[in-house]
């Protein structure tokens, strides 16, 4: 909480609050039936340590699953592990 904003609030600002501000919260921004499901799986708990958001294992976008390590390797970037 270096910025003074609790991690839980930062995550809300990056998801549901951003969707509300931009007027797209009916289809994205939270996990609910009927909404688009773009997700990331993180190795850690960003509520305890916000820097864990850098530890992405996979991303799901548009129904496709992408493994972070494979994507990083394909562009020459070292995965966190």
């Amino acid at each position: 909480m270096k910025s003074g904003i609790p991690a839980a609030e930062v995550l809300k600002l990056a998801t549901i609050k951003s969707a509300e501000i931009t007027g797209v919260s009916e289809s994205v921004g939270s996990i609910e039936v009927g909404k688009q499901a773009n997700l990331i799986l993180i190795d850690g708990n960003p509520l305890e340590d916000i820097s864990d958001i850098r530890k992405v294992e996979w991303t799901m976008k548009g129904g496709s699953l992408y493994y972070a390590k494979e994507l990083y390797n394909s562009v020459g970037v070292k995965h966190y592990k």
Side-chain angles (χ1 to χ4, degrees):
M1 190 167 85
K2 292 179 183 179
S3 68
I5 304 172
E9 187 61 25
V10 169
L11 295 172
K12 285 180 190 175
L13 289 169
T15 55
I16 190 63
K17 295 295 182 189
S18 293
E20 290 170 353
I21 290 168
T22 57
V24 294
S25 62
E26 292 298 316
S27 60
V28 297
S30 61
I31 300 172
E32 296 178 46
V33 173
K35 288 192 174 184
Q36 296 175 23
N38 297 327
L39 307 168
I40 60 172
L41 177 68
I42 295 171
D43 182 7
N45 183 348
L47 295 176
E48 293 175 5
D49 183 356
I50 194 67
S51 66
D52 282 349
I53 62 171
R54 295 184 182 107
K55 299 177 181 176
V56 176
E57 287 292 323
W58 55 255
T59 300
M60 180 176 284
K61 173 125 177 92
S64 296
L65 186 63
Y66 304 94
Y67 292 95
K69 190 170 188 173
E70 292 174 8
L71 291 173
Y72 290 159
N73 288 340
S74 73
V75 293
V77 176
K78 186 176 185 231
H79 190 254
Y80 75 95
K81 282 188 178 178

